[in-house]
Amino acid sequence: MGKQNRRRRTGRRAVPATGPVLDADTLTDPERLAEAIATAAMAAAQGDTAGVRHFAEQLAGPDRVRPEVAAGVERASRRIIARAFDFGWLPSDVHQAARRRLDEFAVGYLTDLMADHRAAFADDTVDEIWQAQLDDLGATVWWTPPHLIPWADRALLTGAEAVTTVLDALALLLRLPKLEPIRPLPGTAQRQRGARPAVDEKALGRVRGLLAKAESTAFPEEAETLSAKAQELMTKYAIDRVLLAVPAVDADLPGARRLWLDTPYTEAKALLIDLVARANRCRAIFVADWDFVTVVGDDPDLDAVELLSTSLLVQATRAMIDTPSTAGDSRSRAYRKAFLTAYATRIGDRLTTAAAATVAEAADRATLLPLLATHDHRVETALSTYFPTTRSRGITIRSAEGWEAGTEAADRARLDG
């Protein structure tokens, strides 16, 4: 196996693997070593697996990582993670991308790397969302530098295995596309000035309770009724917040949040999030290559969208599995994609209707409607600012029965409660 990793076959002739070449001067020069490691990571990003494995074996040897190698890895890694953050990626985004494409060792390495990056900045210059995401990942600096040696020891990796894992992790970072920044970078955040809309934990608690019941019930009609009631409560909460807000318009743009989707059927799932976002005064953009949706809106509305979308995805999947197919193709990809797309479309209609009815019943509509129009304009402006170039795309449906079953599953709710 070792020889196969060091050579690639082209026709009848074996050729040496490509990749960075090490010499004695490189190993003793931290800067040159960091550049060689970054070059190897780029080669890995471009698919040169054999060359990268060969480089890792040369660099680390079969046993424990040498201190000079660990120092070079640390220097290169810090630059590459900083590049990813400059490209608009947040800690949870890096983690979500990594867990879909790398093994647990590489995911753990990136978590430590993000903790190391954060440690260089004062607490009051780190955005609260940034910090919250790191806290959720359990990212802390637990080691004595250089990091690679204690990390490899804890993971029980040989030197070559450790360097190979690091190169795979860095290669993923180098493949990350540039995104529009939605939160300030560490070192640039400032304490909030003035009052911003606060999240009403009591209201969200009631919504969470309704959605928990919706997810636990075995009856689709009850689940959808509970979800509609949750939408009604969220709309009433939003109306109260708009009416009680300070009349002056906030000069800052609304915020944004990325929601990651698990395969398969990500297009249908993204459609559901888009429709939930629209029912809750937000807008959404789907990045299909990386399976996440960016939702733009005010923070309380973003909380509502995340809560309801997460619950409805659970409910939709269960309804899809539990709904029998008369043609016997309920397990086919075409049927399930059509089912989820139809379910999302119909649920979106019903949520929009529930939200509109709640607005129509508001006591102070003469004041409310202009405020909602101003809010919608701010969200549309933010969307065009974050995403200056977008394109629409459709979803191809190849199962009429799946579409009908999905529509019927979403139609069985009694929205009168």
Side-chain angles (χ1 to χ4, degrees), residues 57 166 209 299 341:
E57 291 170 0
V166 168
D299 285 341
T341 303

Side-chain angles (χ1 to χ4, degrees), residues 364-386:
D364 195 358
R365 293 184 71 244
T367 303
L368 174 63
L369 294 180
L371 292 174
L372 289 177
T374 299
H375 172 274
D376 289 345
H377 177 72
R378 291 180 62 245
V379 171
E380 292 291 350
T381 300
L383 185 71
S384 61
T385 300
Y386 290 132

Side-chain angles (χ1 to χ4, degrees), residues 89-112:
W89 289 72
L90 301 179
S92 65
D93 300 326
V94 172
H95 175 76
Q96 292 289 351
R99 78 175 185 84
R100 286 163 169 78
R101 292 167 173 81
L102 300 173
D103 63 26
E104 60 179 310
F105 300 111
V107 172
Y109 179 80
L110 288 176
T111 301
D112 286 353

Side-chain angles (χ1 to χ4, degrees), residues 1 24 45 61 100 104 113 130 152 165 187 189 207 226 238 243 259 262 280 290 293 309 355 368 379 400 407:
M1 177 177 271
R100 286 163 169 78
E104 60 179 310
L113 185 56
W130 240 87
T165 299
V207 171
L226 290 165
L243 291 175
L259 305 182
D262 289 324
N280 288 278
W290 291 87
V293 177
S309 297
L368 174 63
V379 171
T407 302

